[in-house]
Amino acid sequence: MREARCEPVDWDERLLEASLEEVLGGAQPRRLAHIRALPSPPRRRRSVALASAAAVVLVGLAFLWWGSRPSEVTPRFDLTLVVDRGQLDCSGSAATTLTAPSTVALALARGDRISAPIDTEFRVGHARPLRAVAGTQLEILDMKTKNSRGAVVVGAITLGVVAGTLSWQLMAAPGTATAGERVELDLSDPAEVAMLQSELDRLREENDELRQAARAGRGAERNALAVVEDPDDEFTPPEAPADPQAPSLVFSGSDVDDLLADVDWEVVGGAVADMVQLAERGITAVLAGGDLPMDQLAQLQMHNAMLIEQLAGVVEHNLERSGENGAFNHPVVAANTIEATLAAADQPLSSDQVAALTKVVEYYTALDDSQAATDYGSKMASILAQVETRRQFFGELGQLLGDEQRAALHPPTLEGYDMDMFDGDFMLRYFSRQVFVNTPADYAGEVSRVLGNDLRLEGAVAEQVQRVVADWSTRLPGSVFEQGTALEQLGTPRLLLGERTMETARQQVELIKQLMQSVPLTAQQRDALRRWERLLVPVPR
Amino acid sequence: MERAASQHRDVTAWAQAHRLEIWRYLRYLGCEAHLADDLVQEVFLRAMRAAFADRGPRARAAWLRAIAGNLYRQHLRGPEALSLDEAEATWQARCGDDGGESYVHALRACVGELPPRLRSALDMRYAENASREVIGARLAMRPDGVKSLLRRARELLRRCIERRLS
């Protein structure tokens, strides 16, 4: 029983819960018994409380009225009659005529009669279809009840053929009953039977597994203790074998969990820990005026390939929405990677940290999922929303780590750049490229050129787009056009300041909106613009 | 006698029109299915005995819901434990137009849009009544992960339904 509570109730949640039980759980109201005034004897209404206490409820059918003298009253049960063809006349306590097609729940009792004035096909509850020739008369001889899920239901009904012929087709074998014969109909719900069969199968499987385990145990005992006369007496249940399905994720709860089931997190953690060190050493060397050492570059690429191999499933899953890098900083993936990386760097998370991180991961995974289900109007806006969320995620996550743990994850020289795997900006690397320019006009020219190619713009429309882009470029914030840093000027490796990239993404989202609103693009061009995902980041020389 | 017969015909028609809504409403209040079945019967029995100036299906549905709510509250024996006003307000907003048909229809569509993993978890939870442990074993997740997975699925469904109904 879902009792009402004194704490505030989330009625929306209640509504969803009840509706899910209806839609997925198959919870349905049973048919109402007849709301009708019965002739005498006077009735006594069954009280709700009494009914509950007695726990006697009829599923599918209600048992509403008792006579004033129960001992003289034959209980009646609603049975669903489906007339597919012809006509049925019911006499007795539920006198009525049913003409095909009809489905009616009737309160029937022993002794009631059902007749078919013409050739008729019909069903009683979930029983097999029956065919009655014209003039057939049936009498309900017996109704067997059973307890199902705490409720009393009619499990079977016995019909006597008073006159005529009743026939049916059961599998390949037809059956017939004529006057004087009886027919027992199983009214079990096929869904319930299937469910019970499934449960039975499951129990059988478990039983088989236990037998096999027991046999294996006995075999082991015999091999080890050949002198034991009665192995069964000495039998000790073997330890359960390792469950191949055992959860291996420290952080889970996403729709990519199954794609992470086979990931070797030790490999991932080791690779990332090495990459952080290699990146730091390499960038330091570059900033000192040297080149990125080729051996370090090769190692970086090797580790990168290992990561992609381990996380290939998630990368593929996320590629369309978040790009390759987006797969790595998905909250669940990133949290597990961080856990593994810190373990590899001898800075493991404490249980308290795991507990705290779990909440953060759950929240941002839910947010990420809801964003995935949201239409932002353009691919670029969707990417931006994800990156904003992941920035917040990594911000909160970082606050839960110690200084040494943070240092093991973030190369200090890359702080603020988009190459930090554990920062939201990292996701944008997949979509971005730097555009070395001297002026906003240069930048506008490059953006127009790329747009023209990607959207296949021509003639007046292309010119109109150029004007909108040129106007847009003059209004870009100063942070976008700040002189490129030394690392940004390198070109290779491609490094961009995270803030510059983010701001450019925000501005490009605005540009896409303006183009949608002000330029008469064709349907194909609009679609291409909606899906446009090139992030052109200006790096002033 | 004629009035009684007329009233009876009305209630029979009302039962056909509002049975499902009243049952859903009771389930929404937290009532178990079998008790909801009993209370629905009781609602229409009371309706048959009561004098009610019928001002159309909406007002009638609200009246029947009020009877249902009061019956359930009596069953709980703790009037303070169930705020029917709040329940009714949410019901009116989400299901007031058609007894929850649109809501259920939207829910069916939204369930169909869920990612397969979330859909599986919901099926196991609601169709099979599986425990978090069982679901977790099948999905290779921890029970806590299943809890958050289901919570996320419900959150997505709420948003999706809201979008569809708006």
Side-chain angles (χ1 to χ4, degrees):
Chain A
M1 169 66 69
R2 295 178 294 161
E3 295 292 352
R5 305 178 191 98
C6 292
E7 66 206 46
V9 176
D10 182 342
W11 289 107
D12 272 314
E13 185 65 22
R14 276 276 185 92
L15 180 59
L16 178 63
E17 186 75 13
S19 302
L20 279 167
E21 285 172 5
E22 180 181 336
V23 169
L24 294 177
Q28 292 289 328
R30 66 174 181 242
R31 299 185 67 86
L32 278 180
H34 308 279
I35 304 291
R36 63 183 175 195
L38 290 186
S40 58
R43 57 188 178 268
R44 185 180 68 199
R45 184 170 53 78
R46 186 172 57 133
S47 83
V48 169
L50 181 63
S52 254
V56 175
V57 183
L58 304 176
V59 169
L61 335 175
F63 181 21
L64 252 190
W65 316 100
W66 286 99
S68 58
R69 289 172 294 167
S71 60
E72 294 178 12
V73 173
T74 302
R76 289 183 288 126
F77 300 90
D78 266 7
L79 286 175
T80 303
L81 284 181
V82 181
V83 183
D84 296 315
R85 185 171 69 87
Q87 177 184 318
L88 285 182
D89 296 328
C90 302
S91 59
S93 56
T96 188
T97 293
L98 309 176
T99 308
S102 62
T103 302
V104 178
L106 293 174
L108 297 171
R110 281 192 207 108
D112 285 349
R113 291 199 171 191
I114 302 169
S115 39
I118 57 177
D119 285 356
T120 299
E121 289 177 11
F122 68 104
R123 286 167 283 155
V124 183
H126 295 288
R128 58 189 180 259
L130 300 167
R131 182 175 298 163
V133 299
T136 297
Q137 192 174 40
L138 308 167
E139 181 175 323
I140 297 176
L141 299 177
D142 195 13
M143 299 167 98
K144 290 179 182 167
T145 59
K146 64 175 183 176
N147 193 300
S148 172
R149 300 180 211 173
V152 176
V153 300
V154 179
I157 181 172
T158 303
L159 295 175
V161 182
V162 178
T165 302
L166 192 65
S167 60
W168 58 89
Q169 186 78 22
L170 184 62
M171 304 299 280
T176 303
T178 54
E181 293 185 290
R182 300 156 67 101
V183 179
E184 183 162 313
L185 303 175
D186 182 357
L187 305 185
S188 302
D189 181 348
E192 186 183 19
V193 171
M195 189 189 75
L196 292 171
Q197 184 63 48
S198 166
E199 179 68 5
L200 184 62
D201 290 343
R202 188 184 66 76
L203 290 170
R204 279 180 176 149
E205 277 181 25
E206 276 186 11
N207 210 9
D208 286 343
E209 285 170 10
L210 288 170
R211 280 205 191 98
Q212 284 174 12
R215 274 198 293 273
R218 288 192 198 104
E221 286 288 323
R222 273 195 293 271
N223 290 338
L225 304 167
V227 294
V228 174
E229 290 181 0
D230 186 351
D232 283 348
D233 288 345
E234 299 294 325
F235 169 63
T236 303
E239 282 187 18
D243 180 2
Q245 295 294 312
S248 61
L249 293 175
V250 176
F251 303 97
S252 59
S254 76
D255 62 346
V256 295
D257 283 5
D258 51 347
L259 300 172
L260 301 174
D262 296 329
V263 172
D264 186 336
W265 291 102
E266 275 192 33
V267 171
V268 170
V272 174
D274 284 350
M275 287 170 78
V276 170
Q277 300 295 325
L278 288 166
E280 175 63 17
R281 286 206 299 272
I283 297 300
T284 303
V286 170
L287 285 173
D291 292 321
L292 192 64
M294 289 306 292
D295 61 326
Q296 289 185 19
L297 185 61
Q299 285 185 56
L300 269 173
Q301 288 174 341
M302 183 188 73
H303 287 311
N304 195 44
M306 285 163 65
L307 276 185
I308 291 174
E309 184 186 358
Q310 287 293 327
L311 297 168
V314 192
V315 170
E316 189 181 349
H317 180 79
N318 282 277
L319 197 61
E320 172 66 22
R321 177 173 168 247
S322 313
E324 203 167 70
N325 292 358
F328 291 104
N329 66 11
H330 178 286
V332 165
V333 180
N336 282 292
T337 305
I338 286 172
E339 192 275 337
T341 304
L342 291 176
D346 288 324
Q347 298 286 335
L349 292 171
S350 68
S351 56
D352 285 348
Q353 284 178 314
V354 170
L357 279 174
T358 298
K359 291 179 184 169
V360 175
V361 171
E362 279 182 8
Y363 174 78
Y364 282 99
T365 302
L367 202 54
D368 190 75
D369 279 354
S370 67
Q371 286 180 329
T374 304
D375 182 3
Y376 286 91
S378 69
K379 175 77 180 287
M380 187 60 72
S382 168
I383 292 167
L384 182 62
Q386 288 179 71
V387 175
E388 299 271 20
T389 299
R390 290 180 187 194
R391 282 182 133 203
Q392 292 170 19
F393 165 67
F394 285 110
E396 285 191 33
L397 189 148
Q399 289 175 10
L400 298 171
L401 302 178
D403 290 342
E404 293 185 342
Q405 288 174 321
R406 276 195 292 271
L409 298 174
H410 305 284
T413 52
L414 287 177
E415 188 176 359
Y417 289 93
D418 62 351
M419 207 175 177
D420 186 341
M421 185 183 288
F422 302 119
D423 197 327
D425 307 331
F426 182 68
M427 186 178 141
L428 286 174
R429 279 185 66 79
Y430 181 79
F431 303 99
S432 67
R433 83 169 168 84
Q434 76 271 62
V435 181
F436 293 112
V437 293
N438 292 317
T439 64
D442 291 344
Y443 176 57
E446 178 63 8
V447 172
S448 294
R449 187 189 66 76
V450 174
L451 269 173
N453 285 341
D454 290 349
L455 274 58
R456 299 177 189 278
L457 301 174
E458 290 177 349
V461 172
E463 288 173 11
Q464 200 170 343
V465 167
Q466 285 168 16
R467 282 197 294 275
V468 172
V469 173
D471 180 56
W472 165 78
S473 71
T474 62
R475 288 182 278 108
L476 290 171
S479 60
V480 172
F481 273 101
E482 279 179 4
Q483 181 77 24
T485 65
L487 282 176
E488 285 178 306
Q489 302 285 357
L490 286 174
T492 305
R494 178 168 58 85
L495 285 165
L496 290 165
L497 281 173
E499 269 309 318
R500 188 197 303 277
T501 314
M502 280 296 290
E503 189 54 46
T504 305
R506 293 186 194 109
Q507 296 303 323
Q508 274 196 203
V509 169
E510 290 306 311
L511 173 64
I512 290 168
K513 284 183 192 169
Q514 287 176 35
L515 291 171
M516 287 281 192
Q517 289 167 1
S518 59
V519 180
L521 300 168
T522 65
Q524 289 89 344
Q525 288 166 341
R526 293 178 74 82
D527 189 46
L529 183 58
R530 200 173 289 115
R531 290 186 285 104
W532 200 52
E533 57 181 29
R534 286 185 199 268
L535 181 56
L536 304 171
V537 184
V539 180
R541 296 277 192 189
Chain B
M1 189 64 188
E2 279 178 9
R3 182 185 172 281
S6 164
Q7 181 100 348
H8 171 249
R9 274 197 303 277
D10 286 347
V11 173
T12 302
W14 294 355
Q16 286 174 351
H18 298 289
R19 174 180 70 106
L20 185 57
E21 173 174 3
I22 300 306
W23 184 85
R24 279 177 178 157
Y25 183 70
L26 284 161
R27 297 279 294 135
Y28 155 73
L29 293 181
C31 187
E32 276 196 350
H34 74 270
L35 180 60
D37 286 332
D38 282 351
L39 291 184
V40 168
Q41 304 266 14
E42 188 71 15
V43 166
F44 290 106
L45 283 170
R46 294 205 176 194
M48 191 163 63
R49 289 197 298 268
F52 174 66
D54 194 1
R55 291 191 300 275
R58 239 186 130 87
R60 190 192 314 140
W63 178 61
L64 293 169
R65 285 199 302 272
I67 297 176
N70 284 327
L71 281 172
Y72 182 52
R73 196 155 60 173
Q74 285 169 20
H75 171 81
L76 291 176
R77 293 194 172 88
E80 73 289 349
L82 186 65
S83 169
L84 289 179
D85 289 344
E86 290 173 15
E88 178 66 14
T90 302
W91 182 269
Q92 283 277 9
R94 306 281 181 273
C95 307
D97 290 340
D98 58 4
E101 276 303 301
S102 300
Y103 187 94
V104 168
H105 183 73
L107 174 60
R108 282 185 206 282
C110 291
V111 166
E113 291 175 8
L114 282 177
R117 189 172 177 78
L118 294 183
R119 173 67 203 266
S120 298
L122 282 180
D123 277 340
M124 283 185 259
R125 163 71 182 80
Y126 291 98
E128 301 174 30
N129 205 20
S131 66
R132 277 187 216 150
E133 286 72 19
V134 170
I135 298 172
R138 292 195 203 162
L139 296 180
M141 293 174 69
R142 293 164 190 230
D144 281 352
V146 173
K147 184 181 173 186
S148 60
L149 189 74
L150 290 171
R151 190 169 60 230
R152 199 164 65 258
R154 283 196 292 267
E155 178 59 28
L156 285 177
L157 288 174
R158 278 171 72 155
R159 286 167 184 262
C160 174
I161 291 168
E162 202 168 305
R163 201 170 60 243
R164 282 179 173 269
L165 294 184
S166 65

